[in-house]
Amino acid sequence: MVEQPKRPFIKEWHLKGYFTFLAFTLVILMSADFTGVGQPFSGDQFMDLVYKMLHPDWSYLPAIITPLLQTIQMALVGTLVGCLLAVPLAFLAYKKIVKNKYIRLAIRLVLNLMRSLPEMLLAALFVAVFGIGAFSGVCALTVFSMGMMFKLLYEAIETIDKGQLEALKAAGATKIQMAIFAIVPQIFKYYLGFFLYTLELNVRASTILGYLGAGGIGLYLNTTLESLRYDRTAVVILAILVVVVLVDFLSNRLREALSA
C-alpha cells in the first residue's frame, strides 16, 4: 500500500510557494518602478511607427548598400586580425609551452579583461582615440575577437593529446616545433569553427557600432530613427536581417563541412 504524504508537508510547501510568488512579484514591481517601465506612452506615435514600418521606403535601399558592405568588411577584417593575434597568445598561455606561471596568468588576465568588455564600450573608446570612422569599428571588433578566440582556443589546447608533445620533446624538438607539429594539427579544425562562430557574432555587433560613430550600417539606422523616418528604418532592419541570415546559413554549412 502506497503511503500518502502528510498534510503538514503539503501546507508547508504551499506556504513556501506563495511566499516565493509574492517576493518575486514585489521584485518585479520595484524593478518596473525604478526603470520607469510603467510610464505612459504615446499611442499615436506608436501607431505611426507601426504604420511606417509596415510600409518601407524601398527607394532608400540603394543608399544603404555601400554602408552595408562596409559593415560586412568591418566584421571580416576585425575577425580575421583578432583571431590571428589570438593564436600566439593562446600558445603562450599553455603550460607546456611557457613554464613561467606568472607570464601565463598575466596573458590570461589581460585577454579575459578584453573579452569581458562589450563591443559598444570598445567602440566608444576607439572612437574617442581615433575619431569617427570604420577604423574605430574594426579596432573594437579586433579586440573583442582576440579575447573571444583566445578563450575558445586556449580551452581547445588544454584538451589535446599530450602524448604527441611528450614524443616530440623526447626527440629533442623545440617548443616552436612542438606547437607547429603537435598542437596545430589537433586544433586546426576547431580553430576554423571558432573563427566562423566569432564572425557570426561580429556581423551582428558591427551593425550597431555605427550608433557610436564607428561606421557601417548602424549610422544609417541611428539617423533614420532620430529623424522619425521609420519607413527607412524598416529598410535598414530588413537589409541587416538578410545579411545576418545569409552569414548564419553559410557559417552553418561550412561548419557541417568541417565536421564531416
Side-chain angles (χ1 to χ4, degrees):
M1 184 177 181
V2 180
E3 185 179 354
Q4 298 294 331
K6 298 179 180 180
R7 290 185 178 276
F9 174 78
I10 296 177
K11 291 182 178 180
E12 182 181 355
W13 185 86
H14 278 298
L15 288 176
K16 289 182 178 179
Y18 292 144
F19 178 77
T20 303
F21 175 76
L22 291 175
F24 187 69
T25 303
L26 180 61
V27 170
I28 292 178
L29 293 176
M30 293 175 62
S31 301
D33 180 69
F34 179 78
T35 57
V37 173
Q39 294 181 358
F41 68 95
S42 173
D44 294 337
Q45 184 176 354
F46 176 75
M47 294 304 298
D48 179 63
L49 183 148
V50 173
Y51 177 80
K52 290 182 178 179
M53 292 284 285
L54 293 176
H55 296 80
D57 181 12
W58 296 111
S59 64
Y60 191 62
L61 184 60
I64 64 173
I65 297 299
T66 299
L68 191 63
L69 294 176
Q70 185 184 56
T71 297
I72 299 174
Q73 292 170 352
M74 288 169 51
L76 285 172
V77 174
T79 304
L80 181 61
V81 176
C83 290
L84 288 177
L85 292 176
V87 173
L89 294 175
F91 286 153
L92 292 175
Y94 185 47
K95 59 185 177 182
K96 295 292 185 179
I97 301 298
V98 176
K99 298 297 183 181
N100 192 318
K101 65 177 181 179
Y102 297 105
I103 296 178
R104 300 198 310 268
L105 289 174
I107 293 175
R108 290 202 295 266
L109 179 62
V110 173
L111 270 296
N112 287 333
L113 177 61
M114 293 168 58
R115 183 173 56 88
S116 65
L117 296 176
E119 301 93 333
M120 295 294 285
L121 177 57
L122 291 172
L125 293 175
F126 283 111
V127 166
V129 174
F130 298 111
I132 296 175
F135 182 73
S136 299
V138 170
C139 290
L141 295 175
T142 298
V143 173
F144 174 78
S145 300
M146 186 163 54
M148 176 66 69
M149 177 57 75
F150 169 80
K151 175 68 174 178
L152 297 173
L153 196 59
Y154 172 75
E155 292 179 352
I157 293 175
E158 286 287 340
T159 62
I160 65 172
D161 180 16
K162 308 298 190 300
Q164 298 184 26
L165 289 173
E166 298 299 333
L168 287 174
K169 184 177 179 180
T174 63
K175 292 182 178 180
I176 296 179
Q177 291 173 331
M178 291 168 59
I180 295 175
F181 296 106
I183 299 179
V184 172
Q186 297 188 62
I187 65 171
F188 183 70
K189 184 180 293 186
Y190 296 106
Y191 179 80
L192 294 179
F194 297 154
F195 176 85
L196 295 174
Y197 173 70
T198 306
L199 178 62
E200 290 181 23
L201 296 179
N202 284 341
V203 168
R204 294 182 177 91
S206 61
T207 59
I208 60 174
L209 294 183
Y211 271 99
L212 301 173
I217 194 65
L219 178 62
Y220 287 75
L221 181 62
N222 186 32
T223 301
T224 57
L225 286 173
E226 289 183 348
S227 60
L228 305 181
R229 291 300 306 269
Y230 301 125
D231 51 345
R232 294 184 173 182
T233 302
V235 176
V236 176
I237 293 176
L238 290 174
I240 294 173
L241 177 63
V242 170
V243 170
V244 171
V245 169
L246 287 176
V247 170
D248 287 345
F249 175 77
L250 294 175
S251 178
N252 291 333
R253 285 304 181 100
L254 289 174
R255 277 201 296 266
E256 291 176 359
L258 290 174
S259 60

